[in-house]
Amino acid sequence: MIRRSADDPEAFGAIFDRHASTVHRYLARRAGPTLADDLTAEVFLAAFRARGRYDLTQPDALPWLYGIAANLLRGHQRSETRQYRALARTGVDPALDGPADLVSERVTAAAHVRALAAVLARLSVREREVLTLVGQAQLSYPEVARALDIPVGTVRSRLHSARQRIRRALADFPELDLTNGADA
């Protein structure tokens, strides 16, 4: 599709149709739903403008789009840190809205959410990027490395550091299973 869009710009719409909701969810989790709308548009505008430089040997454009999104988010890191601090105080996740979540589940999870958000707010932006791309976006280590233009070893190091800090901070909650996703 990206190759075709060089001659037929409208063909790039298929890339948007395929990946916009996934990129939007990633951005909403990191920057809130309101900002995510604008950032999603910016991601696809930047991708459209840079489509001529896309590495056509890569079959999936999603890691590339996540890389663009991560770069845009760096410009909004103060806002993100404030959002995690607010989540730590209130226990209300702005990425989840509406009555779909039961009140009792929210009350039970509030302490866990606040503790986790407080830890996330203290992580470096670089650690949060890697953590959310692996944990939320479900990218592989090589895909994260490609998205952030860093070595795979750096991905592993940042992820290990973030996970260790989270485990230490949440040690007071033994009912949480912190063994899933152990560093490989």
Side-chain angles (χ1 to χ4, degrees), residues 21-82:
S21 63
T22 302
V23 170
H24 186 272
R25 275 191 306 275
Y26 168 72
L27 291 167
R29 172 80 52 203
R30 300 281 310 274
T34 303
L35 185 56
D37 294 341
D38 293 337
L39 289 174
T40 300
E42 287 182 50
V43 166
F44 283 93
L45 179 60
F48 180 79
R49 288 178 177 158
R51 73 189 187 281
R53 295 186 306 272
Y54 180 76
D55 180 358
L56 295 174
T57 64
Q58 299 298 320
D60 186 4
L62 189 57
W64 176 61
L65 294 169
Y66 277 128
I68 294 169
N71 286 334
L72 289 172
L73 281 170
R74 284 187 192 113
H76 299 278
Q77 54 187 267
R78 285 191 321 210
S79 171
E80 179 183 36
T81 299
R82 284 192 304 271

Side-chain angles (χ1 to χ4, degrees), residues 68-106:
I68 294 169
N71 286 334
L72 289 172
L73 281 170
R74 284 187 192 113
H76 299 278
Q77 54 187 267
R78 285 191 321 210
S79 171
E80 179 183 36
T81 299
R82 284 192 304 271
Q83 180 182 354
Y84 279 123
R85 287 183 180 144
L87 180 58
R89 282 189 312 276
T90 66
V92 177
D93 187 346
L96 302 175
D97 53 3
D101 298 296
L102 300 174
V103 173
S104 63
E105 290 175 358
R106 285 185 177 178

